[in-house]
């Protein structure tokens, strides 16, 4: 290993220690994600609607791309593509999730630092944008651009599956606590504007 490679490896270990006292990605995944269940739902939903099995899944705003890694474990013919603009969670995912796959499974995962509005990758059977990530598009024009970009990126009979936020509790500030074994997770809606439907949310641990 070269000196440059050793320095890079050391930096990664310092940034993402194996057992961190606190790491936002570790606690976020424990609190919010259930990727192993999600891929079963995505697979089942596609089969029920299209009467065939999906093979290529694209995870938009993929972050640490847990869904992508679970997708390739689901079936030996499955392929996953993850898109995100932020290199930090991608690096975390490579160290903590991609590395735990077999070499063969890793060969079926492609993680790209790309804008979901201008994707440059193979077409997918399913495009998924979980955890309200696409809510970052604050105008109809941006949302339409995303919808068009997804449409161009789908195989025949492909589909887009999105999480949606709603219900009467969204119209007033509130805090929801979920207790886990060794910590609590707080979903904190700080404000809501009924004119624009803009809201400000925080998460705490």
């Amino acid at each position: 290993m070269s000196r440059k490679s050793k320095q890079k490896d050391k930096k990664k270990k310092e940034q993402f220690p194996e057992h961190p006292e606190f790491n936002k990605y570790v606690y976020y995944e424990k609190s919010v994600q259930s990727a192993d269940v999600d891929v079963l739902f995505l697979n089942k939903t596609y089969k029920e609607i299209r009467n065939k099995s999906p093979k290529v899944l694209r995870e938009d705003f993929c972050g640490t791309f847990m869904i992508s890694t679970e997708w390739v474990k689901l079936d030996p013919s499955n392929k996953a593509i993850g898109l995100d603009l932020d290199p930090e969670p991608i690096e975390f995912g490579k160290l903590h999730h991609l590395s735990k796959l077999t070499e063969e499974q890793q060969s079926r995962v492609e993680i790209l630092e790309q804008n979901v509005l201008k994707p440059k990758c193979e077409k997918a059977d399913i495009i998924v944008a979980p955890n309200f990530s696409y809510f970052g598009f604050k105008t109809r024009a941006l949302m339409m651009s995303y919808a068009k970009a997804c449409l161009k990126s789908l195989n025949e009979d492909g589909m887009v599956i999105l999480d949606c936020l709603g219900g009467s509790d969204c119209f007033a500030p509130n805090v929801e606590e979920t207790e886990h074994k060794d910590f609590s997770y707080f979903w904190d809606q700080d404000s809501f504007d009924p004119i624009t439907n803009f809201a400000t949310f925080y998460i705490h641990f």
Side-chain angles (χ1 to χ4, degrees):
M1 184 182 288
S2 67
R3 183 178 177 183
K4 186 175 181 181
S5 296
K6 286 181 180 178
Q7 289 175 340
K8 187 176 181 181
D9 187 56
K10 182 180 178 182
K11 185 178 179 182
K12 287 180 180 179
K13 288 179 179 178
E14 289 173 350
Q15 188 176 10
F16 303 121
E18 281 302 313
H19 302 287
E21 183 177 340
F22 178 81
N23 184 292
K24 61 185 177 182
Y25 299 116
V26 170
Y27 282 85
Y28 179 81
E29 289 176 352
K30 286 182 179 180
S31 302
V32 175
Q33 295 194 277
S34 52
D36 55 339
V37 176
D38 290 341
V39 294
L40 293 174
F41 167 78
L42 295 169
N43 192 60
K44 180 183 177 183
T45 300
Y46 187 94
K47 281 183 175 179
E48 288 178 348
I49 296 173
R50 301 301 191 206
N51 294 314
K52 60 182 179 181
S53 297
K55 294 303 175 186
V56 182
L57 176 139
R58 194 179 89 194
E59 183 182 2
D60 282 358
F61 315 94
C62 68
T64 62
F65 58 90
M66 284 183 73
I67 289 177
S68 294
T69 53
E70 290 295 328
W71 182 255
V72 297
K73 289 193 284 185
L74 191 64
D75 189 286
S77 60
N78 282 359
K79 179 176 181 180
I81 303 164
L83 303 184
D84 203 292
L85 284 174
D86 191 343
E88 185 180 286
I90 289 177
E91 193 62 45
F92 179 92
K94 288 178 179 178
L95 288 169
H96 292 266
H97 303 310
L98 190 65
S99 63
K100 294 178 181 178
L101 299 179
T102 66
E103 287 188 15
E104 191 281 327
Q105 289 170 337
Q106 290 181 27
S107 71
R108 293 185 280 114
V109 178
E110 184 178 15
I111 306 302
L112 303 170
E113 195 176 321
Q114 287 188 10
N115 189 334
V116 298
L117 295 175
K118 299 178 180 179
K120 297 178 181 179
C121 57
E122 142 181 16
K123 290 188 176 183
D125 299 314
I126 298 175
I127 295 175
V128 59
N131 297 325
F132 322 125
S133 47
Y134 65 98
F135 279 28
F137 299 138
K138 299 295 188 183
T139 65
R140 290 178 182 271
L142 268 178
M143 193 62 216
M144 181 61 74
S145 294
Y146 179 56
K148 289 179 177 179
C150 286
L151 184 61
K152 290 179 180 179
S153 300
L154 290 172
N155 288 322
E156 186 177 357
D157 289 334
M159 62 176 60
V160 179
I161 299 178
L162 309 174
D163 276 349
C164 190
L165 177 69
S168 58
D169 285 348
C170 292
F171 304 133
N174 64 85
V175 178
E176 179 182 319
E177 178 183 5
T178 303
E179 293 184 359
H180 292 268
K181 184 178 179 180
D182 55 351
F183 70 97
S184 284
Y185 164 73
F186 296 88
W187 171 257
D188 179 2
Q189 179 172 318
D190 184 68
S191 64
F192 177 82
D193 186 333
I195 305 299
T196 62
N197 282 331
F198 285 7
T200 300
F201 295 91
Y202 302 98
I203 58 175
H204 314 287
F205 303 101

